[in-house]
């Protein structure tokens, strides 16, 4: 007998083994329906098929398969296993993240009326109401009952009817992805010659509308002509004509017949392809060096200053892979970047390019998934981190653009993987190459390159000899003392904005905080409204006139008076992108201003429009968060303003200086891309700060030298690996006591490598109290052995009766 190990979408540490019924064809990578418990069914992925009979439990049989062929290939399963092992999570959690929602099946609880039930006791009014609903329809889902039943005791009443055997309950599996169909038209099968068609026209001599419609079909379809037969849609046949009645008559007379045809949701309509751009001497030299490194190494780091033309280099390397019949994965850290990049790639590669990210619908992502696996499908995939899970079959190259970005790291939920690192493992599985490009490499990647683990290619000149932007550090502390600040704006910035607008050029204003103000405060007692569920102040959003928590989404109206002292004066403190937009519009009423942050770009069409309007010159000033800093190419931007550098520099994290340098350099790089030197004004109260001086001079190597020395001194990456354990519970005393005990047990094993427990900056999120324990593991030590020891301690706590509701979250390589 054959058995299948099945990965189910559950946070369980192992696969589940099921017997394969006779006659059922099952292969690794297929979706199957498997029973769990008495009534539950789950859709899972077959990990492997074997003949090993389990001895410790009774094996259940699979219910059915859902595919004729595997939807997940062996390379994907290998990547899943690595992610589960490295990031200390389960295969089920990886599966949930990897498979698009449209390929997952929903298990719906359905309630059936028992027609053989005999009533032996009196029913309550609510029991009678539910029983009447179900008996009328014979079957209803719990969700359908809930939509009609307006009381909170729904499940208790349903369970009482199940106990009486008046109702029975089953779990049904429902397919979420449904292909899109279009109705097409063809001649009825009884008409199979031109002579018969002529006879039909004779029969329609007294029905001119029917005759005209049939003639239109013959013309559109080329039926019985020497030209190729074309499929004709009903919509095309009836376009501009009110012939619906005539069509119904032709169908009834068995002359024309409708039939369904599957159509893609994503059109591949033959995009215009132009020639691939020529490379400059510096760019060609970089391509040659990348090729040379690829003969020896699997990963190359391309360190090119902003506007050095890295994208043109990527395009040439992609073209080489396509000529070899290979696929290319082009990873981006931010969805917003795809809008510009896709246009450049489609110009060079047409419909060979597909896009994969969360702004697409579930059904669209399923179609991209399916096309990627096909030989005639997409050869270039542009996507964010989740694109590493696609079913590549001929992968030759992975490009990781802006490789330094922390958005490549998944934070919630598990698996908490890094898309950049996972792409390197994916490439190794496919025997492909990785090119990681950025103007501001992460310290870890640059260290690997200097150590010889990666190849290193550097571009130090702007494309076409453009000048580096002029960077001015505007001292807000001095300006404030001299009363020269105008609201949150230094006079130098306002003067530069006015001059840039007069020159008909564009401006970027960067503030890495959305909303109108970080909080509001009572003018008397200085109390601040806080979230009910998180230890954070509520952010004021002027557009909705509400206070909103950016961690759990809780919102409330603006209080008419202070809840602590009753004072009616509440003031906004600080500023976010919404306030900048508001004040700039007052100061420069003639300017056309837009804002790009999470609040304004929640839909695909919305963020595409904001970027398109700015790119086409319909917007003069774009205010935004870090979304505007990541690789966008705007040719007419002359000025960038960074409104508060101090917030970034003073953030309590060992990566704060590195990230500040990266972010400010990236924002600076958006200026001066079309001939004229750009200008950047950085507002700060500490203009002599070393990092700001390094940004002003563009001295990445000096920043790297100082930061890498500190990392080595204080045992941080890249010299040590970090594993952070986060403990969560709704009671503060429980999480604190558990954290102390766990830290003691870990210290007994790892000694001084254990730091904590400590409360994070925000110690309560979504009603859960948090405490962190940090472990530092030397690079020379066995990370797998360390994880095994950590897992042993975690399992001990998870199985303890006193810690059943305690959540323990391991995060490997936290960002």
């Amino acid at each position: 007998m054959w058995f299948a190990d099945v990965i189910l979408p559950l946070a369980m540490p192992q696969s589940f083994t099921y017997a394969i019924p006779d006659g059922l064809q099952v292969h690794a990578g297929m979706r199957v329906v498997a029973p769990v418990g008495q009534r539950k069914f789950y859709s899972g992925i077959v990990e492997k098929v074997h003949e090993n009979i389990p001895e410790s439990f009774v094996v259940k049989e699979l219910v059915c398969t859902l595919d004729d062929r595997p939807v997940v290939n062996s390379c994907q399963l290998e990547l899943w296993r690595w992610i589960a092992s490295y990031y200390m999570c389960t295969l089920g959690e990886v599966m949930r993240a990897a498979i698009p929602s449209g390929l997952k099946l929903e298990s719906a609880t359905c309630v059936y009326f028992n027609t053989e039930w005999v009533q032996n006791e009196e029913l309550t009014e609510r029991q009678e109401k539910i029983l009447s609903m179900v008996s009328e329809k014979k079957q209803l889902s719990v969700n359908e009952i809930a939509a009609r039943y307006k009381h909170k005791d729904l499940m208790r009443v349903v369970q009482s009817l199940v106990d009486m055997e008046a109702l029975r309950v089953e779990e049904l599996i429902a397919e979420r992805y449904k292909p899109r169909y279009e109705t097409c038209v063809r001649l009825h099968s009884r008409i199979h010659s031109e002579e018969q068609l002529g006879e039909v026209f004779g029969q329609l001599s007294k029905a001119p509308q029917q005759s005209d419609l049939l003639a239109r079909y013959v013309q559109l379809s080329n039926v019985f002509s020497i030209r190729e037969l074309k499929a004709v849609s009903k919509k095309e046949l009836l376009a501009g004509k009110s012939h619906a009645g005539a069509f119904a008559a032709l169908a009834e007379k068995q002359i024309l017949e409708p039939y369904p045809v599957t159509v893609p949701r994503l059109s591949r309509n033959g995009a215009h392809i132009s020639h691939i751009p020529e490379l400059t001497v510096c760019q060609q030299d970089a391509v040659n060096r990348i090729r040379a490194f690829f003969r020896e190494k699997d990963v190359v780091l391309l360190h090119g200053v902003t506007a050095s033309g890295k994208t043109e280099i990527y395009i040439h390397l992609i073209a080489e892979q396509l000529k070899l019949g290979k696929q290319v994965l082009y990873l981006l850290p931010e969805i917003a970047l795809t809008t510009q990049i896709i246009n450049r790639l489609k110009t060079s590669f047409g419909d060979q390019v597909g896009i994969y990210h969360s702004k697409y619908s579930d059904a669209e992502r399923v179609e991209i998934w399916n096309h990627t696996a096909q030989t005639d499908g997409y050869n270039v995939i542009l996507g964010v981190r989740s694109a590493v899970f696609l079913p590549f079959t001929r992968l030759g190259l992975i490009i990781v653009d802006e490789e330094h970005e922390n958005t490549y790291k998944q934070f919630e939920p598990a698996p908490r993987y890094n898309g950049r690192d996972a792409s390197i493992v994916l490439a190794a599985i496919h025997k492909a190459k990785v090119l990681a490009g950025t103007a501001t490499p992460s310290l870890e990647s640059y260290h690997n390159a200097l150590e010889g683990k990666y190849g290193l290619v550097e571009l130090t000149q702007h494309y076409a000899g453009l000048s580096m932007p002029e960077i001015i550090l505007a001292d807000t502390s001095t300006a404030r003392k001299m009363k020269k600040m105008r609201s949150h704006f230094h006079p130098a910035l306002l003067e530069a904005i006015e001059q840039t607008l007069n020159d008909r050029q564009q401006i970027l204003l960067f503030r890495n905080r959305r909303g109108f103000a970080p909080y509001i405060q009572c003018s008397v007692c200085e109390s601040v409204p806080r979230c009910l569920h998180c230890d954070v102040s509520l952010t004021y959003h002027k557009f909705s006139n509400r206070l909103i928590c950016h961690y759990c989404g809780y919102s409330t109206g603006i209080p008419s008076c202070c809840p602590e002292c009753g004072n009616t004066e509440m003031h906004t403190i600080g500023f976010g992108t919404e306030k900048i937009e508001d004040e700039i519009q007052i100061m420069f009423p003639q300017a056309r201003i837009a804002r790009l942050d999470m609040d304004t770009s929640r839909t695909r069409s919305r963020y595409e429009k904001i970027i398109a309007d700015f790119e086409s010159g319909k917007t003069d000033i774009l205010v935004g968060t870090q979304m505007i800093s990541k690789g966008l190419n705007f040719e007419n931007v002359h000025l960038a303003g960074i409104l508060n550098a101090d917030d970034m520099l003073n953030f309590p994290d060992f990566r704060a200086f590195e990230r500040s340098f990266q972010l400010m350099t990236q924002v600076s790089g958006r200026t001066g891309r079309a001939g004229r030197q750009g200008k950047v004004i950085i507002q700060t109260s500490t203009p002599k700060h070393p990092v700001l001086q390094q940004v002003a001079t563009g001295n990445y190597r000096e920043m790297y030298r100082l930061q890498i020395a500190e990392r080595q001194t204080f045992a941080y990456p890249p010299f040590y690996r970090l594993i952070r354990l986060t403990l969560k519970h709704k009671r503060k005393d429980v999480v604190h006591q558990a954290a102390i005990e766990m830290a003691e047990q870990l210290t007994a094993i790892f000694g001084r490598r254990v730091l904590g427990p400590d409360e994070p900056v925000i110690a309560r999120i979504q009603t859960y109290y948090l405490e962190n324990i940090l472990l530092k593991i030397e690079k020379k030590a066995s990370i797998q052995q360390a994880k095994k020891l950590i897992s042993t301690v975690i399992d001990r706590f998870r199985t303890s009766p006193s810690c059943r509701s305690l959540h323990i979250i391991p995060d490997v390589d936290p960002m």
Side-chain angles (χ1 to χ4, degrees), residues 580-701:
I580 295 167
E581 180 188 26
D582 203 41
E583 293 188 345
I584 283 291
Q585 190 68 79
I586 294 170
M587 295 176 186
F588 301 96
Q590 79 283 8
R592 297 164 297 175
I593 302 170
R595 175 162 51 94
L596 182 63
D597 56 27
M598 282 290 292
D599 297 324
T600 62
S601 60
R602 294 192 182 276
T603 65
R604 189 171 92 210
S605 59
R606 184 68 187 133
Y607 76 70
E608 286 177 353
K609 185 178 187 308
I610 293 170
I611 291 174
D613 284 352
F614 192 67
E615 195 172 18
S616 63
K618 294 179 181 177
T619 305
D620 299 314
I621 302 174
L622 183 61
V623 180
T625 57
Q626 60 181 343
M627 294 173 74
I628 68 173
S629 72
K630 300 177 181 180
L632 292 168
N633 183 32
F634 300 119
E635 291 189 352
N636 200 39
V637 173
H638 171 66
L639 174 67
I642 298 174
L643 297 176
N644 193 333
D646 302 328
D647 276 3
M648 295 181 279
L649 291 167
N650 295 326
F651 191 78
D653 184 85
F654 74 93
R655 288 191 172 96
F657 288 178
E658 176 194 7
R659 286 186 179 149
S660 298
F661 180 93
Q662 290 167 341
L663 203 47
M664 287 185 273
T665 301
Q666 290 289 340
V667 173
S668 304
R670 301 313 109 211
T671 67
R673 287 176 168 252
R676 182 181 174 186
Q677 184 185 27
K679 178 181 283 189
V680 183
I681 296 178
I682 302 175
Q683 294 190 170
T684 175
S685 61
T686 56
K688 293 185 179 180
H689 194 289
V691 171
L692 293 174
Q693 293 295 321
Q694 291 153 11
V695 172
T697 57
N699 197 339
Y700 173 83
R701 290 205 170 191

Side-chain angles (χ1 to χ4, degrees), residues 525-546:
C525 70
E526 298 187 348
S527 68
V528 174
R530 304 184 70 82
C531 177
L532 299 179
H533 314 296
C534 310
D535 278 347
V536 292
S537 57
L538 294 170
T539 301
Y540 172 51
H541 287 250
K542 185 178 179 180
F543 178 77
S544 59
N545 197 35
R546 296 187 69 79

Side-chain angles (χ1 to χ4, degrees), residues 220-411:
L220 291 171
S221 66
N222 301 328
V223 67
F224 300 135
S225 75
I226 59 173
R227 289 177 291 176
E228 182 182 357
L229 181 67
K230 288 175 59 180
V232 178
S233 71
K234 182 180 176 182
K235 182 179 179 181
E236 181 185 12
L237 181 64
L238 300 180
K241 307 283 184 182
S242 56
H243 284 343
F247 177 80
L250 290 172
E252 187 176 346
K253 293 176 181 178
Q254 295 188 335
I255 296 171
L256 292 180
E257 65 175 348
Y259 66 98
V261 173
T262 306
V263 293
R265 288 174 169 84
L266 299 168
S267 62
R268 301 180 72 182
N269 50 10
H272 173 70
I273 301 176
S274 64
H275 70 282
I276 293 176
E278 295 292 326
L279 297 179
T280 64
V281 174
C282 291
Q283 288 173 324
Q284 187 60 57
D285 179 58
V287 169
N288 294 338
R289 283 184 287 154
I290 290 168
R291 289 181 189 138
F293 273 123
F294 276 156
R295 287 193 284 270
E296 304 171 6
K297 300 181 185 298
D298 294 329
V299 183
V300 174
L301 175 65
L302 175 60
H303 177 203
V305 297
T306 54
S308 58
K310 294 185 288 295
T311 305
E312 285 76 15
I313 291 173
Y314 300 155
I315 288 172
H316 274 259
L317 293 171
I318 291 169
E320 289 178 6
Q321 292 298 317
L322 298 187
K323 286 180 182 177
L324 297 172
K326 298 287 189 178
Q327 291 173 306
V328 177
L329 171 59
Y330 192 132
L331 285 180
L332 292 166
E334 192 78 56
I335 291 171
L337 283 177
T338 60
T339 304
Q340 280 198 331
I341 298 294
I342 193 61
N343 293 331
R344 299 178 74 176
L345 292 183
K346 285 206 168 184
T347 299
S348 299
F349 307 113
D351 288 337
Q352 295 186 83
V353 183
I355 312 171
Y356 191 80
H357 58 62
S358 61
K359 295 289 185 184
Y360 280 84
S361 69
D362 290 342
E364 287 171 330
R365 278 183 280 170
V366 170
E367 292 190 0
I368 295 167
W369 179 283
N370 293 335
H371 275 294
T372 304
Q374 295 168 1
T375 53
D376 61 345
Y378 295 117
N379 291 321
V380 182
I381 290 291
L382 181 70
V384 292
R385 61 174 179 262
S386 58
V388 299
F389 293 119
L390 285 168
F392 297 100
T393 55
R394 299 167 283 111
L395 191 62
L397 174 67
I398 300 177
I399 294 169
V400 185
D401 200 9
E402 310 296 347
E403 67 83 29
H404 66 279
E405 284 288 350
N406 66 339
T407 45
Y408 278 121
K409 173 75 173 178
Q410 164 81 5
F411 291 98

